[in-house]
Amino acid sequence: MEPGAGAVNNEGTESICGMPVEAHDPLYLQAYRQSIQDPEAFWEEQAQLLDWDQPWQQVLDNSNPPFTKWYVGGYLNACYNSIDRHILAGRGSKVALIHDSPLTGTARRVTYQELYDQIVLLAGGLAKLGVVKGDRVVIYMPLIPETIIAMLAIVRLGAIHSVVFGGFAARELCSRIEHVEPKLVIASNVGVEPGKVVPYLDILHSAISMSRWKPPQRNIIFRRDNVIPDTSRLDPEADVLWSDVLKMSEGEQPVACVPIEANDPLYILYTSGTTDKPKGVLRTIGGHLVALMYTLRTIYGISPGDTWWAASDMGWVVGHSYICYGPLCLGATSIMYEGKPDRTPDPGQYFRIIDQYKVRSIFSVPTSFRVIRRADPDISYGRQYSTKSLRAIFIAGEHCDYETKNWIEKTFKVPVLNHWWQTETGSAVTATCLGFQQNLSPPTYSTGLPLMGYDVKILKPDGSETQSMELGRIVLKLPLPPGNMATLYKNEELFRKLYFQKFPGYYDTMDAGYKDDRGYIFVTARDDDVINVAGHRLSTSSLEDAVLRHPDVVDVAVFGVPEATKGQVPLCLYIPVENCKKTDAKLSTEIIKLIRDVVGPIAAFRLITSVNNLPRTRSGKTMRKAMADFARNERVILPATIDDATVFTEIRRALQQLGYAMTAPEPIVAKLLD
């Protein structure tokens, strides 16, 4: 038996990896125990959810950790599993994608058959342009069905895609082109955001002109004819229209799917993470598709034919996992929403989408709901729609405070289930699963219980385990289950050093948290978001939760700043509710008292002021580290993923009012650097 997989604790109660047997669903515990004690048998059974061209010879090869391999010798194709097998089973008329775009005033329903027809034409054209198994292709497109068509056409040929978020500027796009060295780039001519048209084609031309790597084939450009004004101009020497590429294979036999060994690459996706330098997460095909099929059913409760909405973008891992591959492999309907939660055109859009398309479950970030709450706290726009089809809302990507979670549950009348995962893992590490009879009201702030195959430990800096409820570093015991990244593209040394060197035998998540006496996991913050006040370690998220208990506060960011006596003290920037009648001084005083009552004087909570906006990335994460560095007068280089860099003008004013950022240089957006 794996040590710790099953044991009797000091009270004589049987437990599995620290989870008391009597406290949890027996079916969950049975599956979890098997996944830890006999991972080969467990994951071999789950692999039957897919269609394989050739069966595997070995389920698990962990002879060279941390480079674990799953389903060694097995061959399959991601496009076949996403599209072809549904057509062959007679389900071609089923809607695969719903593209709802308030930004362009359009809505499209695309069936599996329609997807297939476009994919085989594009794959045929790509083949004529010389794309073969193992080639890399960069995709620079907005959230439209053609982005998924491009992804699946590439993997149909056994090639590898790297999707670059369609809001990145030329410098960011250039860095990825140089690193991936693609045979060609597939792009849209334009993107659209509230109030502006983004010139994708011009950005692409600039990126390639400054790139050391010149793709040998012309760029394939999909023209969005419904976006006006379009000032882009094709370069006949450098570009070819998407429609012309489709014509290259019209009337010919459809290109067959190329079988790929389970441990060959599916895609490369870049993430900045905590290193401030983009890392190319390389995901292999076999284990990833198995994990997505299993988790979509088990965590999110989605079955073939259900309508599912992952409110994200194709430039982020959520889009790859749960807009594209997961739902399509399962045979569900996946929603692509091209709009904002609050202003395209009003804060009722989430409600409309649920009602109009009978959405079963949603995956989103807490910020989206905070935005809706701030814009329309009384739900005057959303009240006209029905949300009866909805079973649950899943949140991830950032900490969710109690007040926001409580508001979502009261508003949408379904459980709000927090879960935790990373770009590197590809799917959730901890969650509350609809597919089991788990308690749908887990402990407040918990991200749920460990998912199958994840032996989660909380360690002290010396590598010893913490006690229950004691804050530490969250690590995952090796080998990791299927679906995790295989390595960092072209950088195995950084892969080993960054994730596996600090705690040998474990994957270092670089997140801080703790475990309760029932085995629930609590992820408090990135480990560098824990501040040390006179020797006391405080999580910024716990302070933010306390601030958000005040009824006049709608959003908040707390981060550590230097202080001569205590070393560090918390600084709080908060956003009041709309039309707040209280002065900044009065509201700040009330919040300070609230913190003393909830957390105690140990927090040394005195530095506080209001702001109108907080700096966030496009995926909704609050940029606490950037604000903390700015407060310390350090030079701040903002990632190209920042949603609005101009908010730092107000952040400077607020910090200087509190005696910080007095000589801070102006922040620089990374895309502007040479």
Side-chain angles (χ1 to χ4, degrees):
M1 178 183 293
E2 182 72 24
V8 176
N9 64 21
N10 293 335
E11 289 75 35
T13 304
E14 185 184 357
S15 67
I16 297 175
C17 291
M19 294 183 289
V21 168
E22 77 283 356
H24 301 295
D25 171 38
L27 290 177
Y28 160 75
L29 290 174
Q30 179 183 348
Y32 183 74
R33 187 202 296 265
Q34 185 189 24
S35 76
I36 298 297
Q37 294 181 0
D38 192 0
E40 290 95 337
F42 181 84
W43 290 110
E44 185 165 32
E45 180 181 350
Q46 308 314 320
Q48 309 300 329
L49 296 169
L50 295 171
D51 287 358
W52 295 77
D53 292 272
Q54 180 177 313
W56 50 87
Q57 299 163 359
Q58 184 179 0
V59 178
L60 169 62
D61 178 2
N62 197 37
S63 59
N64 183 30
F67 300 98
T68 304
K69 294 183 177 182
W70 290 93
Y71 310 114
V72 179
Y75 281 77
L76 73 168
N77 185 277
C79 183
Y80 183 90
N81 276 279
S82 298
I83 305 296
D84 295 57
R85 66 174 178 160
H86 303 308
I87 305 293
L88 294 171
R91 297 191 293 269
S93 60
K94 168 68 182 174
V95 175
L97 300 174
I98 295 173
H99 180 242
D100 189 288
S101 175
L103 289 171
T104 59
T106 60
R108 295 166 58 193
R109 296 174 187 257
V110 186
T111 67
Y112 279 90
Q113 183 66 55
E114 289 167 340
L115 274 184
Y116 173 84
D117 293 341
Q118 293 294 298
I119 288 166
V120 294
L121 288 176
L122 182 60
L126 288 172
K128 289 185 180 296
L129 292 172
V131 175
V132 297
K133 179 179 178 180
D135 281 345
R136 280 86 56 211
V137 178
V138 165
I139 299 173
Y140 183 62
M141 300 180 76
L143 187 64
I144 55 177
E146 283 71 22
T147 305
I148 288 180
I149 290 169
M151 293 166 66
L152 294 175
I154 291 164
V155 300
R156 189 176 189 85
L157 300 174
I160 305 158
H161 63 72
S162 184
V163 179
V164 179
F165 175 64
F168 279 164
R171 184 67 62 181
E172 291 291 315
L173 178 57
C174 169
S175 70
R176 286 149 176 77
I177 290 172
E178 288 183 339
H179 198 245
V180 171
E181 296 183 341
K183 178 158 283 185
L184 56 84
V185 178
I186 302 178
S188 174
N189 62 325
V190 292
V192 58
E193 294 182 7
K196 66 178 179 179
V197 173
V198 184
Y200 280 25
L201 183 55
D202 294 344
I203 293 170
L204 173 61
H205 287 162
S206 297
I208 291 178
S209 69
M210 68 177 74
S211 173
R212 292 188 297 270
W213 172 261
K214 307 297 182 185
Q217 284 291 348
R218 288 184 293 171
N219 311 309
I220 298 174
I221 307 302
F222 176 76
R223 185 177 290 283
R224 297 189 74 182
D225 294 325
N226 60 348
V227 177
I228 299 173
D230 173 17
T231 59
S232 61
R233 294 289 181 270
L234 265 67
D235 179 348
E237 300 297 318
D239 307 318
V240 57
L241 280 173
W242 171 289
S243 56
D244 290 337
V245 175
L246 298 187
K247 291 175 184 175
M248 292 180 184
S249 56
E250 281 183 351
E252 298 186 4
Q253 199 69 16
V255 173
C257 294
V258 176
I260 301 297
E261 206 276 335
N263 296 282
D264 282 345
L266 175 65
Y267 68 73
I268 302 163
L269 182 64
Y270 286 86
T271 174
S272 56
T274 58
T275 63
D276 294 327
K277 294 181 180 179
K279 308 184 299 288
V281 168
L282 187 141
R283 190 92 60 204
T284 52
I285 175 176
H288 185 50
L289 296 189
V290 171
L292 296 182
M293 286 282 285
Y294 180 73
T295 54
L296 202 57
R297 289 172 174 266
T298 305
I299 301 175
Y300 307 109
I302 299 300
S303 300
D306 285 346
T307 299
W308 153 261
W309 181 18
S312 185
D313 205 305
M314 297 314 304
W316 315 120
V317 67
V318 176
H320 283 53
S321 293
Y322 294 117
I323 297 179
C324 180
Y325 290 111
L328 296 185
C329 282
L330 184 61
T333 298
S334 180
I335 289 181
M336 307 176 78
Y337 174 66
E338 192 180 30
K340 300 292 184 182
D342 62 330
R343 60 188 193 278
T344 52
D346 59 53
Q349 296 307 297
Y350 267 47
F351 303 86
R352 177 184 64 80
I353 293 287
I354 295 166
D355 186 13
Q356 186 171 341
Y357 303 118
K358 302 299 178 277
V359 175
R360 181 75 165 161
S361 292
I362 295 177
F363 183 145
S364 190
V365 293
T367 293
S368 293
F369 297 100
R370 293 191 191 108
V371 165
I372 296 171
R373 181 186 176 196
R374 183 185 181 190
D376 187 19
D378 298 325
I379 315 300
S380 55
Y381 288 93
R383 197 178 295 119
Q384 61 184 299
Y385 301 105
S386 169
T387 59
K388 289 182 179 179
S389 65
L390 197 63
R391 187 177 176 193
I393 293 175
F394 291 86
I395 51 175
E398 59 172 342
H399 177 75
C400 184
D401 60 279
Y402 174 76
E403 295 301 324
T404 298
K405 181 177 182 291
N406 191 41
W407 182 86
I408 302 170
E409 288 181 332
K410 287 182 177 179
T411 300
F412 289 88
K413 298 178 176 58
V414 294
V416 174
L417 302 173
N418 197 1
H419 63 330
W420 167 62
W421 53 304
Q422 301 176 329
T423 299
E424 289 87 346
T425 65
S427 58
V429 177
T430 68
T432 298
C433 301
L434 292 185
F436 291 113
Q437 297 299 312
Q438 291 185 328
N439 183 356
L440 298 185
S441 297
T444 304
Y445 308 131
S446 167
T447 60
L449 296 168
L451 260 293
M452 306 310 123
Y454 284 110
D455 191 350
V456 182
K457 306 288 187 185
I458 315 295
L459 300 185
K460 300 176 184 178
D462 64 4
S464 62
E465 281 198 62
T466 61
Q467 299 297 312
S468 176
M469 307 300 289
E470 183 181 358
L471 194 65
R473 188 79 154 235
I474 306 175
V475 300
L476 311 175
K477 189 174 182 180
L478 301 182
L480 296 176
N484 283 267
M485 64 176 171
T487 188
L488 293 176
Y489 186 58
K490 294 183 180 178
N491 205 337
E492 290 190 352
E493 181 182 353
L494 179 61
F495 177 71
R496 287 180 181 271
K497 180 179 179 181
L498 189 62
Y499 299 106
F500 304 98
Q501 181 174 285
K502 188 176 180 69
F503 299 102
Y506 295 93
Y507 166 81
D508 181 8
T509 70
M510 289 170 267
D511 278 335
Y514 58 92
K515 193 185 292 190
D516 73 4
D517 56 6
R518 289 187 290 167
Y520 281 99
I521 306 299
F522 297 75
V523 183
T524 58
R526 295 300 291 183
D527 203 31
D528 53 11
D529 281 339
V530 176
I531 59 178
N532 196 319
V533 181
H536 300 282
R537 285 165 59 82
L538 297 173
S539 165
T540 56
S541 61
S542 65
L543 295 171
E544 291 175 358
D545 289 332
V547 174
L548 284 162
R549 293 189 184 190
H550 197 293
D552 291 324
V553 176
V554 74
D555 209 348
V556 63
V558 174
F559 47 91
V561 293
E563 200 271 340
T565 303
K566 300 180 183 295
Q568 267 189 317
V569 291
L571 188 150
C572 171
L573 302 178
Y574 66 91
I575 300 176
V577 296
E578 293 282 344
N579 304 316
C580 180
K581 300 295 190 294
K582 296 174 183 174
T583 64
D584 183 69
K586 178 173 174 54
L587 186 50
S588 295
T589 301
E590 291 179 2
I591 294 169
I592 291 171
K593 182 180 184 303
L594 178 63
I595 294 295
R596 288 184 67 87
D597 293 341
V598 174
V599 181
I602 191 175
F605 194 93
R606 289 183 292 275
L607 298 171
I608 178 170
T609 190
S610 67
V611 291
N612 291 316
N613 289 291
L614 292 167
R616 302 188 191 281
T617 63
R618 289 176 183 266
S619 60
K621 295 181 181 178
T622 304
M623 303 175 66
R624 294 175 187 82
K625 186 177 185 302
M627 288 187 285
D629 291 344
F630 192 58
R632 290 193 292 266
N633 297 310
E634 296 179 8
R635 185 189 187 207
V636 174
I637 299 177
L638 302 172
T641 53
I642 187 168
D643 192 42
D644 181 8
T646 64
V647 301
F648 268 88
T649 301
E650 185 188 13
I651 299 300
R652 180 191 294 277
R653 174 200 60 74
L655 292 175
Q656 288 184 346
Q657 181 180 325
L658 299 172
Y660 288 87
M662 304 305 288
T663 60
E666 195 68 23
I668 299 175
V669 180
K671 66 188 179 186
L672 300 178
L673 294 177
D674 293 327

